Amino acid sequence: MPETTPKGLTRLAFGGDYNPEQWPESVWQEDVRLMREAGVSMVSVGIFSWALLEPEPGRYDFGWLDRVLDLLHENGVRVDLGTPTVVPPAWFYDAHPDALPVTADGTRYAFGSRGAICHSNADYRAAAANITTKLAERYGDHPALAMWHVHNEYGVPVSACYCESCAAHFRRWLTTVYGTVDAVNEAWGTAFWGQRYSTVEQINPPRLTPTVGNPAQALDYRRFADATIRENFRTERDILHRLSPGVPVTTNFMTALSQCDSIDYWAWGREVDLVTNDHYLITDGRRTHVNLAMAADLTRSVAGGAPWLLLEHSTSGVNWQPRNPAKAPGQMARNSLAHVARGSEGAMFFQWRQSRRGAEKFHSAMVPHGGTDTRVWREVVELGAALESLDVIRGTRTVADAAVLWDWHSWWAQSLDWRPSEDHDARERADTFYEALYDRHLTVDFAHPEADLSAYPLVVVPALYLMTEAAGANLKRYVEGGGTLVVSYFSGIVDEHDAVHEGACPGALRDVLGLTVEEFSPLLAGERVRLTGPEGELDADVWTEFVVPRGAETVWTYADGLTAGRPAVTRHRLGDGTAWYVSTRLGTEGLDAVLALAGQDARIAPRAGVPRDVEVVRRTGERGSYLFALNHTATDAKVPLDGPGTELLTGERAAGRLAVPAGAVRVVRLDG
């Protein structure tokens, strides 16, 4: 089995992307001195260095990288070594301009940014394999090497190309998946609008058409694009496994649902030796710490619950949003430790030293433009010391209370054109349901719809428009076995080919929910409806439905609108469990009312005594049980402890109620 932890790393990972090639060698000695001062344990090197490592075809210059790795090793810093295949050199594109990707409207991108790659291009594939081989042969047993870092943020900014190479590759992929053109016609429903193909050679990528094209074809093209990128990752990974055995291979994911929608991370999680993730706060006025927690929970889930690693985040502001505010004092440490609470084995940043040139020169870094006499640097040093005091948690696992079902294929399908309402957004539903669970202080695992759910007393389905028959049967077994299920509207509608399940909606969920939906009735912009029920009146928007109970009981009823008097929220007892259905868009307050009742069914005790925006998460393992308390508010708070213990950041004993100062983090190792 491949190694799954960074080789030789005996501490939590702390450091960042190190780009010494941007600086004269006279700066390198200062870099390693400062790394020692900050407690840096690992850095990522070489991710964007192809043009320096191979300045001309077949001519290599490894001298500078030799000196960098040796210097880091001499100073006790482990290395996450990149394969620089995200940015081929200018000479490569000069020789192979067809390796630049083409958009759906026929525009070919130009060289001059990053990630401009046609992943079907044979010349790119050969060149990427070659530079990876050269690096592995030279550094595969270097004493500084902790792990290999393939490419960078696959799928960003280009995930799909529509050129002729991709068209030919797509046809081969379709033949592998479906076997015959008749099977493709059946899966895509090409009898509609006369789109039938007589040979697979007639099929092209879903390029620009006068009006909406075939949605099943578009869905399959997203699958094809993801699979093609994954093929290229596997090629590099297998080279590294062969030439550098015992060293784990990873690539940095971007699981935050708002940052990358083109990659099926369930599939990718099975390909890497160690799941790593990049996370950047979307500072749009919302509670950024909730999205951070969600991304960390999703990353841990992609890792199958195993420890993972935050490979990039920011010390302060970024530079690519419309407005890029700085992080507040203490926020960098709180953000970092929030990831650690939810399973990360450290906190890494982009980047070590803030660039003076290039597109990201205003992106914050561990060593800012102002140097060491800055708040950011002082907080970096403090964070390094804090992480060192938490080394004892390495290898422990985060404990979850509930599961949220998520599937990238369903998101892709629902995002296609001509759905009942453009205001319905799968990611928004996932965000809102997660926020409601977060506010009930429940730690969440994400799960694939066909995964074993028996360990969870509560499972939430915020938006699964696409659901296979197998997934529907899985949820029925879950409820019959005693689970509590909460499903949001427009779920279970189509199969894996975007074909509506036969019979009444919600096809894959009819039996478990004990109802049918006669008709969707989306609301116009600005329209709202009221719901009446046992817990008072709720307010909703965007979506309503004509629900017909077929075994389910009505809990909330529509009070107005076209669906007035009809069921809005239902509860169905099935076997030893219950299934709830929410047929409209509720905000977090409305969802809280539903989840309170569902939580009673699931026998989840309310988390009394924990203030809003104070996060309590537990990691456990052979080394003990650790409670993380993170106060995201400007007010001092107290949280209840299950028993006495030692607070690791201060060394103080704690019992009863743990004091957590405003904006601070406390980590208690519980006795016993």
Side-chain angles (χ1 to χ4, degrees):
M1 292 288 293
E3 181 58 55
T4 59
T5 57
K7 182 179 179 182
L9 186 64
T10 58
R11 301 164 46 196
L12 292 174
F14 179 57
D17 283 33
Y18 180 40
N19 299 294
E21 64 271 27
Q22 296 181 16
W23 303 91
E25 290 199 30
S26 58
V27 177
W28 298 0
Q29 290 292 338
E30 180 188 13
D31 282 333
V32 294
R33 180 184 65 80
L34 293 177
M35 287 178 190
R36 291 196 305 271
E37 180 180 333
V40 166
S41 58
M42 185 168 73
V43 293
S44 301
V45 176
I47 297 169
F48 299 103
S49 301
W50 194 342
L52 295 176
L53 295 169
E54 190 179 6
E56 295 176 2
R59 183 172 72 82
Y60 304 97
D61 179 5
F62 293 112
W64 68 272
L65 187 55
D66 291 346
R67 296 191 294 278
V68 167
L69 297 191
D70 291 347
L71 181 63
L72 291 168
H73 176 62
E74 291 164 6
N75 285 272
V77 179
R78 308 296 294 161
V79 172
D80 166 38
L81 185 56
T83 67
T85 51
V86 67
V87 182
W91 61 254
F92 172 81
Y93 286 119
D94 188 51
H96 308 289
D98 56 345
L100 289 162
V102 174
T103 64
D105 68 0
T107 301
R108 189 178 294 278
Y109 285 118
F111 173 76
S113 180
R114 67 171 192 177
I117 296 164
C118 167
H119 282 274
S120 293
N121 184 271
D123 295 309
Y124 167 75
R125 290 183 166 208
N130 178 69
I131 190 64
T132 298
T133 299
K134 296 296 184 183
L135 284 165
E137 288 173 342
R138 190 171 189 92
Y139 301 112
D141 59 357
H142 193 284
L145 183 63
M147 64 182 186
W148 288 100
H149 180 310
V150 173
H151 205 268
N152 183 72
E153 295 178 345
Y154 277 108
V156 179
V158 179
S159 60
C161 172
Y162 298 81
C163 72
E164 286 303 319
S165 293
C166 289
H169 193 182
F170 184 42
R171 295 176 196 121
R172 295 192 298 272
W173 182 85
L174 290 171
T175 300
T176 300
V177 171
Y178 291 104
T180 66
V181 71
D182 288 340
V184 176
N185 283 316
E186 175 65 22
W188 290 2
T190 57
F192 186 80
W193 278 0
Q195 295 172 347
R196 185 171 182 83
Y197 300 99
S198 55
T199 69
V200 73
E201 285 72 24
Q202 296 168 350
I203 299 175
N204 283 307
R207 294 167 175 150
L208 187 65
T209 52
T211 185
V212 175
N214 187 313
Q217 178 187 15
L219 176 59
D220 263 351
Y221 203 74
R222 296 196 75 157
R223 290 170 171 147
F224 156 75
D226 176 57
T228 300
I229 296 171
R230 202 158 59 248
E231 285 177 17
N232 287 354
F233 167 77
R234 280 197 298 264
T235 297
E236 293 191 46
R237 178 202 64 193
D238 292 350
I239 291 169
L240 297 169
H241 278 167
R242 175 171 54 85
L243 297 175
S244 184
V247 180
V249 180
T250 190
T251 186
N252 45 338
F253 294 170
M254 295 192 73
T255 61
L257 297 182
S258 58
Q259 292 172 334
C260 185
D261 67 351
S262 60
I263 299 296
D264 176 6
Y265 285 116
W266 293 127
W268 280 78
R270 297 188 293 269
E271 301 291 352
V272 296
D273 299 332
L274 168 68
V275 167
T276 63
N277 193 55
D278 297 352
H279 182 265
Y280 294 98
L281 298 177
I282 304 299
T283 48
D284 59 1
R286 291 183 291 180
R287 299 157 72 200
T288 55
H289 55 278
V290 179
N291 176 265
L292 184 159
M294 184 177 182
D297 282 345
L298 182 53
T299 306
R300 182 186 68 253
S301 302
V302 167
W308 55 279
L309 178 59
L310 175 67
L311 205 53
E312 287 184 27
H313 71 312
S314 65
T315 57
S316 191
V318 297
N319 72 309
W320 41 266
Q321 298 181 51
R323 285 157 288 279
N324 299 283
K327 289 185 177 180
Q331 187 180 0
M332 175 182 64
R334 194 168 65 251
N335 288 167
S336 300
L337 296 178
H339 286 286
V340 173
R342 295 176 185 271
S344 177
E345 295 283 78
M348 305 276 286
F349 294 92
F350 180 84
Q351 57 181 324
W352 165 251
R353 185 178 287 274
Q354 191 170 14
S355 299
R356 291 185 56 228
R357 299 174 176 84
E360 294 186 287
K361 56 183 170 287
F362 296 117
H363 190 295
S364 61
M366 298 176 76
V367 182
H369 289 147
T372 57
D373 189 18
T374 57
R375 173 178 69 89
V376 166
W377 173 253
R378 288 187 287 272
E379 291 192 16
V380 164
V381 174
E382 291 171 2
L383 177 59
L387 287 170
E388 187 172 0
S389 70
L390 297 179
D391 278 341
V392 68
I393 71 164
R394 291 176 65 235
T396 60
R397 295 194 174 208
T398 302
V399 179
D401 304 296
V404 170
L405 299 195
W406 181 258
D407 181 21
W408 278 272
H409 292 236
S410 179
W411 191 17
W412 298 342
Q414 189 180 298
S415 300
L416 297 171
D417 292 324
W418 285 14
R419 300 317 187 208
S421 173
E422 66 178 16
D423 296 326
H424 171 51
D425 181 337
R427 184 178 64 81
E428 181 278 330
R429 282 294 80 191
D431 287 347
T432 304
F433 267 88
Y434 183 90
E435 187 171 0
L437 292 164
Y438 180 97
D439 284 342
R440 297 191 70 79
H441 302 287
L442 299 178
T443 302
V444 167
D445 278 347
F446 285 81
H448 187 275
E450 297 180 16
D452 179 8
L453 304 171
S454 58
Y456 304 103
L458 176 66
V459 171
V460 172
V461 182
L464 276 178
Y465 160 76
L466 183 154
M467 185 178 289
T468 63
E469 291 286 357
N474 186 43
L475 294 184
K476 185 179 179 183
R477 285 192 302 273
Y478 166 75
V479 173
E480 289 175 334
T484 299
L485 179 70
V486 179
V487 177
S488 185
Y489 66 90
F490 208 45
S491 293
I493 307 302
V494 300
D495 67 12
E496 60 269 33
H497 302 300
D498 197 43
V500 174
H501 285 286
E502 190 171 350
C505 291
L509 292 169
R510 283 192 304 263
D511 293 342
V512 70
L513 295 176
L515 56 81
T516 57
V517 175
E518 285 188 342
E519 192 174 3
F520 308 131
S521 186
L523 301 178
L524 298 178
E527 281 191 304
R528 308 192 72 83
V529 293
R530 292 176 299 114
L531 282 59
T532 56
E535 302 299 313
E537 192 172 275
L538 305 180
D539 183 62
D541 65 357
V542 171
W543 192 278
T544 62
E545 293 177 345
F546 290 90
V547 174
V548 179
R550 302 189 187 278
E553 60 180 294
T554 300
V555 183
W556 271 274
T557 303
Y558 288 111
D560 48 26
L562 288 179
T563 54
R566 296 277 192 138
V569 178
T570 63
R571 178 176 182 263
H572 184 219
R573 292 180 174 87
L574 183 66
D576 294 328
T578 57
W580 291 77
Y581 184 59
V582 182
S583 68
T584 187
R585 192 175 84 160
L586 297 174
T588 52
E589 290 186 8
L591 289 178
D592 181 73
V594 175
L595 291 171
L597 297 179
Q600 292 176 17
D601 286 345
R603 297 179 178 84
I604 296 176
R607 280 16 180 196
V610 182
R612 189 174 191 261
D613 289 327
V614 176
E615 196 171 322
V616 178
V617 185
R618 188 188 298 269
R619 286 183 65 156
T620 63
E622 294 180 359
R623 299 186 182 187
S625 183
Y626 304 86
L627 185 140
F628 285 72
L630 304 99
N631 187 350
H632 298 286
T633 77
T635 304
D636 293 349
K638 291 186 177 182
V639 300
L641 292 175
D642 294 341
T646 301
E647 204 289 310
L648 298 178
L649 299 177
T650 63
E652 298 174 355
R653 291 291 293 171
R657 294 181 65 80
L658 173 69
V660 188
V665 178
R666 293 291 180 262
V667 184
V668 177
R669 180 175 187 171
L670 297 170
D671 295 345

